[in-house]
Amino acid sequence: MQRYIGTRSIGIRTPIVKEGDDLVKIVSESIKNAVETHNLELHDRDVITVTESLVARTQGNYATIDQIAKDINNKFDSDTIAILFPILSRNRFSVLLRAFAKSGKKLIICLSYPQDEVGNSLMDEEVLYDSGINPYTDVLDLEGYRKLVGSSYKHEFTGVDYVEFYQQIAPNSEVYFFNDARKVLDYTDEILVSSIHTRNKYKRQLKDAGAKVVLGLDEILNSSVDGSGFNPDYGLLGTNLSTEGKVKLFPRDGQKFVDALQEKLISMFNKNIEVMIYGDGAFKDPIGKIWELADPVVSPAYTKGLVGTPNEIKIKYVADNELGNLSSEELQEKMKEKIREKDDDLKGQDDTLGTTPRALTDLLGSLSDLTSGSGDKGTPVILIQGYFDNYSDN
């Protein structure tokens, strides 16, 4: 039978979970209910993705601002520390800043400009260009920043003046704007590198430049403090606001969960189903220029069948070039034949021009994040079917 549907992504509704719930049971039963209610059929190499927040919540992987503040005091000796290049976020960073301020230390808040690491703007780039200021070398203090942007520069989407907001959270702080991480040493030699994807580069630069203590967010709460949650790999990276005094951490022990869920699903449906945990998708908003990925990785855990990148030929390229002189019917058959006989590794071949050689888990995680949304859809589990099929499969 000819197939007329390729890849499809389906949001699966689940109960609202709480700490201590058996998430393997909840997810597997939710999938079973969806399959039976909506007459779905599962296949080998279907993918089930589970949002990281469900895993962290059932683990009880939370920490209070007091526990975070204590870890800051455990790891920094100076009365003054720098908070280097945090992102601008109420959900991601504001509660962490509240914890850092509660440590009692003076904070030197260092913001990159004209935008943060993931694209949240602190100023209009055209205004910066017209000013003659060199963002690669020039340091702005708060007065210089306000002179450049005016009394209040609000984020395009949230309507928040993040500089003012961060000052309100940490009144015992100074704010500076620069992009050369080593400039921070003019103010203190104890630094908490607060960027996400560039953290290792800045840690190395600062250590080479003679900084006394250099830690990243991944090194705060990488073990439990006074019974707190923790993440041994990512620390505070990937945290989300839970309440004004508490954060939800990125889940830990994810591999145990995905392996257990895969085993359960194979047992229930007799199909080789892949499983992964997903967080933020790896895509950029073309209007606001904001890169979605504020988690340290798209997927912190996945089953073995999801390792690798796509190995695909570009149908359009082949149809326009190698098979361009064929009739319509011949073209369909020759294209299917070429796909069936393609090499196991097409890297570097012209036939791949225009394909997307990204990690499978990044692609699947982005698809899952877009399907589940970030609000009230109530579908934190995603069923992805047909992702590993191609045009030659009937």
Side-chain angles (χ1 to χ4, degrees), residues 1-5 333 336 390-394:
M1 182 178 68
Q2 178 66 42
R3 286 179 52 187
Y4 292 97
I5 295 176
E333 291 307 312
K336 291 179 180 180
N390 59 48
Y391 188 63
S392 70
D393 294 320
N394 292 321

Side-chain angles (χ1 to χ4, degrees), residues 17-127:
V17 304
K18 60 184 184 299
E19 182 177 351
D21 283 349
D22 183 343
L23 191 58
V24 169
K25 180 180 179 181
I26 289 172
V27 171
S28 59
E29 289 184 350
S30 297
I31 294 166
K32 183 174 182 289
N33 291 337
V35 166
E36 293 176 349
T37 302
H38 298 282
N39 297 316
L40 301 175
E41 182 179 354
L42 299 187
H43 309 91
D44 288 334
R45 301 217 76 189
D46 281 354
V47 182
I48 295 295
T49 69
V50 181
T51 184
E52 57 84 21
S53 66
L54 255 65
V55 184
R57 290 182 67 199
T58 56
Q59 289 175 340
N61 206 21
Y62 292 88
T64 67
I65 60 175
D66 288 326
Q67 291 164 334
I68 297 169
K70 183 171 183 178
D71 208 26
I72 290 291
N73 282 321
N74 288 343
K75 292 175 177 176
F76 290 95
D77 296 325
S78 175
D79 292 334
T80 300
I81 63 171
I83 308 300
L84 184 69
F85 300 158
I87 65 171
L88 307 175
S89 172
R90 293 171 297 171
N91 175 45
R92 292 286 188 172
F93 191 74
S94 67
V95 70
L96 300 185
L97 183 60
R98 200 178 306 278
F100 303 155
K102 196 164 187 181
S103 71
K105 298 180 183 297
K106 180 178 180 179
L107 305 182
I108 308 296
I109 302 174
C110 309
L111 302 176
S112 55
Y113 73 97
Q115 60 266 132
D116 70 8
E117 179 187 20
V118 295
N120 294 292
S121 292
L122 275 168
M123 59 186 66
D124 188 308
E125 290 193 63
E126 293 295 322
V127 171

Side-chain angles (χ1 to χ4, degrees), residues 253-256 258 275-278 297 299-303 306 361:
D253 300 326
Q255 197 61 48
K256 294 179 182 178
V258 296
V275 178
M276 63 174 273
I277 299 170
Y278 71 95
V297 291
S299 176
Y302 43 87
T303 49
L306 299 180
T361 51

Side-chain angles (χ1 to χ4, degrees), residues 147-172:
K147 183 178 179 180
L148 179 64
V149 307
S151 59
S152 179
Y153 179 88
K154 290 184 169 57
H155 190 281
E156 179 182 4
F157 291 158
T158 65
V160 173
D161 179 337
Y162 278 100
V163 175
E164 180 181 54
F165 180 48
Y166 282 4
Q167 282 186 292
Q168 290 172 349
I169 291 173
N172 186 30

